Amino acid sequence: MIVVMKPGATQKQIDHIVELVEQLGLRSHVIVGTERTVVAALGEKRDGAKQALELGEGVEKVVPILAPYKMASTEVKKDRTVVSARKLTIGGRAVGVIAGPCSVESRSQILEIAHFVREAGASGLRGGAFKPRTSPYSFQGLKEKGLELLAEARAETGLAVVTEVMSPEQVPLVSRYADVLQVGARNMQNYPLLEAVGEAGLPVLLKRGPSATIDEFLLAAEYILKAGNTQVMLCERGIRTFEDHTRFTLPLATVPYLHAHTHLPVVVDPSHGTGKAALVSAMARAAVAAGADGLMIEVHPDPEKALSDGYQALTEPAFKELMASCRRVAAAVDRSL
Ligand code: PEP
Ligand code: MN
């Protein structure tokens, strides 16, 4: 339920409602909006709870939250969430770009790409140190060494480091180096991991599972929000369909749908979404046109030699062109990039 306070309700009245919500065995979550404050009452609804809250001083009305996800819903919070880490801002007027290799492979590779993507206008540096690979025989990442190299690249460029964490046990280690914790598509429903990143105190980029519905995606985000972390970005990275000409199918209707149902910002990853370097730029432009708040793009100095996902990585000149063409689209939809 949402307890909507009257405009001008006093702090004392709000505190009283919070107390009442907790006495009713529910969790309270206070959202101070530009016009009024609302108190979300989360948990199993008890008989008589709505009536009890309606009697509270300063309460305008008590309405049920219809969406299965609560804290992620626009029903609870209308103002859009802006996520920021160092130079990276996702959810404002400017479209934020996170770019870099699929995996951190060597010092020279990550430093070269970091400088290049920063010059081209990116504000986040991606790169996996712990890699979730389909085959156990594929390159698994440089692990802590990779994290150290990302930190070195950040020190040189000021870019925010966005890197994947694969298990709750890895959260303390990865948090020492990362600015944003990435939860990968394969782990979208790893609930202990979602709770652990929810408690980590760093922004989170949550990727959509390839076979997850949007409600499942938002309920996964809800785990992170419920653990106390409001800095969550959602990333559409393509879903599994019958189509096999692209690695995944990139459903861009996700972007306006999510904007209508959640206040969390939406990032699109056309690299994994298509699995083909030649398709990435067009889908990045389409994502910006659809209203994406951010882009995540794989870039490699020499894609043919990449240790993972080379077939979908852009060369440096191709990335520069992508940025220029996305900037034109951003201007057409009243955004900057
Ligand atoms: C990645 O970003 O490198 C990655 C593994 O992506 P996903 O989890 O979307 O497959
Ligand atoms: Mn990849």
Side-chain angles (χ1 to χ4, degrees):
M1 287 175 293
I2 304 169
V3 184
V4 181
M5 304 301 293
K6 289 182 178 150
T10 64
Q11 189 58 46
K12 195 160 163 241
Q13 291 171 335
I14 296 165
D15 291 345
H16 176 68
I17 293 303
V18 167
E19 213 174 288
L20 197 54
V21 165
E22 281 159 20
Q23 276 168 11
L24 289 163
L26 300 166
R27 277 167 59 100
S28 65
H29 178 61
V30 179
I31 298 136
V32 182
T34 41
E35 283 170 28
R36 59 178 91 223
T37 296
V38 304
V39 181
L42 308 170
E44 285 298 319
K45 201 174 126 202
R46 282 210 215 144
D47 285 350
K50 182 170 184 282
Q51 290 75 359
L53 290 165
E54 274 167 348
L55 290 174
E57 259 183 66
V59 171
E60 183 164 294
K61 59 182 174 181
V62 179
V63 288
I65 306 172
L66 299 176
Y69 38 89
K70 311 293 175 194
M71 295 172 73
S73 168
T74 44
E75 292 175 61
V76 169
K77 179 173 180 275
K78 302 252 180 292
D79 304 340
R80 308 219 60 83
T81 293
V82 178
V83 176
S84 47
R86 294 178 188 267
K87 285 173 182 292
L88 179 68
T89 303
I90 305 265
R93 186 173 169 273
V95 178
V97 179
I98 303 163
C102 180
S103 307
V104 181
E105 298 171 1
S106 67
R107 185 164 184 274
S108 60
Q109 176 236 24
I110 195 69
L111 292 183
E112 174 178 336
I113 299 182
H115 282 283
F116 188 86
V117 301
R118 193 200 53 185
E119 287 315 304
S123 43
L125 175 66
R126 62 149 293 137
F130 291 95
K131 291 303 302 177
R133 303 307 301 282
T134 302
S135 162
Y137 303 112
S138 302
F139 174 60
Q140 302 288 310
L142 296 182
K143 312 213 161 96
E144 188 165 3
K145 179 75 199 155
L147 296 173
E148 285 168 13
L149 295 173
L150 284 166
E152 193 177 340
R154 167 179 55 215
E156 288 197 7
T157 60
L159 293 170
V161 166
V162 182
T163 195
E164 180 158 355
V165 56
M166 294 207 299
S167 69
E169 298 72 40
Q170 281 173 4
V171 170
L173 172 68
V174 178
S175 298
R176 281 211 295 280
Y177 297 93
D179 297 301
V180 175
L181 298 173
Q182 175 171 328
V183 174
R186 292 158 186 81
N187 268 318
M188 189 205 82
Q189 285 177 312
N190 179 340
Y191 301 117
L193 177 62
L194 297 174
E195 284 170 348
V197 299
E199 284 162 11
L202 284 178
V204 176
L205 180 112
L206 176 66
K207 297 191 104 182
R208 180 183 185 174
S211 55
T213 64
I214 291 186
D215 274 7
E216 288 164 344
F217 189 19
L218 287 168
L219 283 165
E222 188 80 9
Y223 269 86
I224 305 171
L225 297 171
K226 182 169 178 277
N229 190 343
T230 56
Q231 291 276 287
V232 180
M233 308 171 239
L234 302 168
C235 178
E236 173 58 82
R237 47 75 76 210
I239 53 173
R240 179 61 61 84
T241 68
F242 56 81
E243 180 55 68
D244 61 0
H245 286 74
T246 48
R247 184 179 179 192
F248 293 96
T249 296
L250 185 61
L252 288 178
T254 304
V255 179
Y257 184 90
L258 285 173
H259 279 154
H261 292 86
T262 180
H263 49 86
L264 299 174
V266 184
V267 174
V268 172
D269 170 355
S271 303
H272 293 86
T274 61
K276 292 200 166 141
L279 306 181
V280 170
S281 191
M283 294 312 284
R285 292 195 295 277
V288 174
D293 301 296
L295 293 171
M296 177 174 252
I297 309 287
E298 288 190 344
V299 188
H300 197 282
D302 188 356
E304 277 183 15
K305 299 214 174 75
L307 297 180
S308 61
D309 288 358
Y311 44 81
Q312 68 192 33
L314 295 189
T315 60
E316 291 169 345
F319 178 67
K320 209 168 158 188
E321 267 179 51
L322 174 148
M323 292 295 282
S325 68
C326 284
R327 234 169 240 136
R328 293 195 291 274
V329 176
V333 293
D334 294 329
R335 305 285 288 264
S336 59
L337 183 143

